[in-house]
Amino acid sequence: MSSPKPTWSLADLQKIIAHHWGYRTLRPLQDQAMQAVLDGRDSLVVLPTGGGKSLCYQAPAVLRGGTTVVISPLIALMKDQVDSLRACGIAAASIDSSLSATERFAYEMDVRQGEVRLLFLSPERLVQTAFYRVLQQIEVHTFAIDEAHCISHWGHDFRPEYRQLRRLREFFPQAAVHAYTATATEAVRRDIIAQLALQNPVVLVGNFDRPNLLYRVLPRHDVLKQTLEVLERHQGEAGIIYCLRRRDVDELAAALRKKHIKALPYHAGMSSEERQAVQDAFASEQVDVIVATVAFGMGIDRSNVRFVLHTAMPKSLEHYQQETGRAGRDGLEAECVLLYSGADIITFKSMLTKSAQEAGTEAHLPNVFQHLDDMDRYCRGAVCRHRALVRYFGQDYAPDNCNACDLCLGDTEAVPDALIVAQKILSCVARVKQSFGIGHVIAVLRGENTENVRKRGHDKLTTFGLLKGHSRADVRDWVYQLIAQEVLQQVGDDYPVLRLNDASWEVMRGQRQVRLVQLVRRKKGQRPEKTKMETISWEGVDRELFEALRRLRRDLARERQVSAFIIFEDRVLRELARVRPSTLERMRLVPGVGDKRLRDFGARFLELIVDHCRARGLPFDVPPVC
Ligand code: ADP
């Protein structure tokens, strides 16, 4: 007679979570996702980055006992997860190619003896014959597939190795399989279920909005200057600056270093050792700013990235969501700035057409262009950014004002008399006989008395000086906005010139409307609006103490060779710097301080807090903000 199936309740789970992780509440859908694991029912869980997917399989693994196997695409991700679990006092291991033969043997022994609660593996290793036999012997009953979208061709991170996971069902017919991803599209979801042959799975799809992210799309005038403005707002904080090309990465990183900003470059042209060194420096908080191509990606687990800056438009909204998703994983406020020019889509289309022609893949171009057009529309759009993103991924967005995007915060404003401005620009293109590029048309419109303008007699045109008093950058931006609205064209590769089309004449005759925007003028040094979230999350925090706690965390991370957030996350440090606990018992009440971390690090942090407060006469044990 088989023994009755043990039953576990969510209350048991909550005790485990409070003990190991120090969390007292669950995030949306975590309870249902954990229940599916406890019930041994297949599941697909789609939660945005930072939504807390890991806890959904980690906590039940501890409660149920036995070994849960987690499939993860990158060694760096596995290492962070294993370090983080061990810091919580949970037996975890990863068996990967970075181990020596002796280490691997030792871990395999631990696995055989059932001592490992969570075992991290790459998909290739899972299906190695010798290894899956070990797993069969220990009767693995739960598999968690992290970054499950990697199995799908439709996703943006397809990994052929993931396809091998189809064999899981064959090898482990009794086990439950749980797939986790942040990738939202319907096609990818369906594909994951089919590829993994999930049986009657519980499908949980969370809210894709990331309310802690502040989105800004700003007209690009001067990349270096605008980058410095963003850095100024995020002094001492972590950020990623994305550039289109390797050359742009090297140049911008060098320019920042000249300004004494410690920024490291990262792109596929560097050796793998160089890239690894940059990743490690970033993870351990030795360096805070990375300038990179999109090659800097999935292995980046640092949870306190406070800004992501795109110096040009990404290729699709899926890419944008993924790249900005690296900001604010800890749930605290973070800023995502995109520097946009109407020229971006033109550059992209010509670049991609050329490479498709060379590779003979022109058939894919319409699909690629569709993604570019969607991205371009988002940049130009007048719709709240949170709403536009959430809607793109097929969900509704209720609030009227997100309070966390350039449009809702009033960073940009409509240009008054946009139609007249547009008519001036288009007439000037007509007057110079549609034979000149943007630079020249701008010079004529601004009434620049230059040799080039005079020698062509363009200082005599009726359109000369029509936009006098406006900056070059503004006029350039409006020209690109008109191109983006397809009421003006830029043609020619070597010397692109501005040309009119039928829509241009409609605008000139006043039969067609256009919309132009410009940045709201701020006084010099005036910061753009802060979000409500930013204000609240810093309320009562002693910044000086927070910085001191961060330094201590950095030292501990270096000593232990782990990523800094493994010690304590920013959220915990901020709370410590707000509450300023006087004893270890009080410190234990701060969310994110579990028993093992308290034992390992509590005394060091407490000593620092007590010294800091005594020296400044600051009160201890401030009640938490509700
Ligand atoms: P995802 O994998 O979905 O991107 P993670 O699993 O890395 O997200 O979780 C993001 C952060 O949220 C981590 O720091 C994690 O410890 C924290 N977290 C998860 N669940 C909770 C919870 N219930 N309460 C507080 N913090 C949580």
Side-chain angles (χ1 to χ4, degrees), residues 558-626:
R558 196 181 308 149
E559 270 169 32
R560 291 169 186 246
Q561 297 193 336
V562 293
S563 300
F565 73 87
I566 302 289
I567 310 286
F568 277 133
E569 298 222 341
D570 271 23
R571 184 186 279 279
V572 177
L573 297 193
R574 279 197 204 178
E575 200 54 18
L576 290 175
R578 181 198 336 256
V579 174
R580 303 187 290 272
S582 60
T583 62
L584 287 175
E585 292 69 46
R586 295 282 185 148
M587 187 183 270
R588 178 70 183 80
L589 299 178
V590 168
V593 181
D595 289 347
K596 181 153 191 328
R597 282 195 170 95
L598 189 76
R599 268 201 313 279
D600 289 351
F601 313 119
R604 299 275 297 267
F605 281 89
L606 188 67
E607 188 187 345
L608 200 161
I609 295 168
V610 170
D611 288 351
H612 178 91
C613 292
R614 290 221 173 107
R616 289 160 187 78
L618 290 174
F620 289 99
D621 302 322
V622 178
V625 180
C626 293

Side-chain angles (χ1 to χ4, degrees), residues 427-573:
S427 324
C428 190
V429 174
R431 293 282 170 209
V432 299
K433 305 211 161 28
Q434 306 184 49
S435 311
F436 291 87
I438 293 184
H440 187 77
V441 171
I442 293 173
V444 176
L445 280 163
R446 293 181 68 242
E448 292 177 15
N449 190 3
T450 61
E451 168 72 24
N452 236 339
V453 172
R454 279 195 309 272
K455 93 176 169 215
R456 296 184 164 88
H458 287 169
D459 52 336
K460 306 281 177 322
L461 295 176
T462 48
T463 51
F464 182 73
L466 274 184
L467 292 177
K468 216 180 185 108
H470 293 285
S471 71
R472 255 178 175 266
D474 275 350
V475 182
R476 177 176 295 271
D477 189 44
W478 294 334
V479 170
Y480 278 121
Q481 290 182 41
L482 294 179
I483 295 174
Q485 288 169 65
E486 297 177 359
V487 298
L488 180 63
Q489 283 176 295
Q490 194 180 29
V491 295
D493 279 343
D494 296 334
Y495 179 67
V497 297
L498 292 176
R499 289 266 166 82
L500 303 174
N501 57 20
D502 292 347
S504 322
W505 293 103
E506 286 171 19
V507 173
M508 282 196 275
R509 288 195 293 267
Q511 294 163 343
R512 191 185 175 109
Q513 285 303 317
V514 290
R515 186 174 188 278
L516 298 176
V517 295
Q518 63 189 8
L519 277 179
V520 170
R521 310 279 166 226
R522 295 184 200 282
K523 290 200 198 90
K524 207 170 164 10
Q526 188 187 355
R527 260 184 69 125
E529 290 286 312
K530 273 190 194 176
T531 59
K532 216 193 272 170
M533 175 146 196
E534 185 178 358
T535 315
I536 292 172
S537 75
W538 281 107
E539 213 171 293
V541 176
D542 184 305
R543 288 254 189 173
E544 197 191 346
L545 178 55
F546 172 75
E547 289 305 328
L549 295 172
R550 264 187 78 186
R551 282 193 295 277
L552 172 57
R553 174 176 71 177
R554 198 177 310 153
D555 294 344
L556 288 170
R558 196 181 308 149
E559 270 169 32
R560 291 169 186 246
Q561 297 193 336
V562 293
S563 300
F565 73 87
I566 302 289
I567 310 286
F568 277 133
E569 298 222 341
D570 271 23
R571 184 186 279 279
V572 177
L573 297 193

Side-chain angles (χ1 to χ4, degrees), residues 17 21-28 30 34 47-58 81 84 146-147 180-182 210 301 303 325 328-331 565 569 571 591-592 597:
I17 293 170
W21 283 271
Y23 302 143
R24 279 158 198 91
T25 51
L26 292 181
R27 298 243 175 100
Q30 279 185 328
M34 290 185 197
L47 284 178
T49 310
K53 291 184 279 297
S54 327
L55 198 67
C56 299
Y57 54 83
Q58 291 175 347
Q81 291 243 28
S84 177
D146 204 8
E147 311 285 356
Y180 301 88
T181 177
R210 303 270 320 269
D301 228 8
S303 66
R329 292 180 62 115
D330 52 11
F565 73 87
E569 298 222 341
R571 184 186 279 279
R597 282 195 170 95

